[in-house]
Amino acid sequence: MNEEEIKKKIDEEIVKTEKLIADYKEQSKPVTLDNSIGRISRMDAINNKSITESALRQAEAKLSKLHHAMDNIDKPGFGLCIKCKQPIPIGRILLMPESNKCVNCAR
């Protein structure tokens, strides 16, 4: 996979993650007290909000790492394992953009 294809994949992942962040922000809005839902439903909504906020933080961290990877893509050695010098699979780069080792060397 060449550099342009990797850039395209990272761009696609950035767009997807930004949409996910927007969805999480919408889902994590507080439940208003004037909403007439039961006590159990309100507790469930508060719990779901907490889970969504955690997912939001993880998505924001991933987005930051994807931007960092995009900034470094033009640097020599990007996408190569620092230990064995073999190419890091694009799936790993997209999942863990901060990775500088292949799966085998990261163990």
Side-chain angles (χ1 to χ4, degrees):
M1 183 171 274
N2 68 29
E3 189 177 303
E4 287 305 312
E5 290 175 292
I6 293 173
K7 281 183 181 180
K8 184 179 178 206
K9 289 282 189 186
I10 292 174
D11 273 336
E12 289 171 0
E13 195 68 21
I14 286 172
V15 169
K16 189 168 79 172
T17 304
E18 286 172 341
K19 183 185 178 321
L20 195 61
I21 288 171
D23 290 345
Y24 285 149
K25 284 182 178 180
E26 183 65 32
Q27 293 173 17
S28 66
K29 288 184 178 177
V31 178
T32 59
L33 292 175
D34 60 341
N35 254 354
S36 60
I37 60 175
R39 181 177 56 89
I40 301 297
S41 296
R42 186 171 307 282
M43 289 171 41
D44 191 41
I46 290 168
N47 184 48
N48 288 343
K49 181 180 181 300
S50 174
I51 292 168
T52 302
E53 287 172 344
S54 175
L56 173 63
R57 285 189 299 275
Q58 290 176 352
E60 288 172 335
K62 179 180 179 180
L63 182 62
S64 174
K65 292 172 185 175
L66 285 166
H67 282 295
H68 180 71
M70 188 60 90
D71 292 342
N72 290 325
I73 199 165
D74 295 325
K75 294 184 179 172
F78 177 82
L80 295 179
C81 176
I82 61 170
K83 194 170 180 182
C84 70
K85 307 296 184 215
Q86 295 299 313
I88 300 171
I90 186 64
R92 181 167 173 80
I93 291 172
L94 293 177
L95 186 63
M96 300 176 63
E98 73 278 13
S99 296
N100 57 5
K101 292 181 184 171
C102 66
V103 175
N104 291 332
C105 293
R107 291 184 199 174

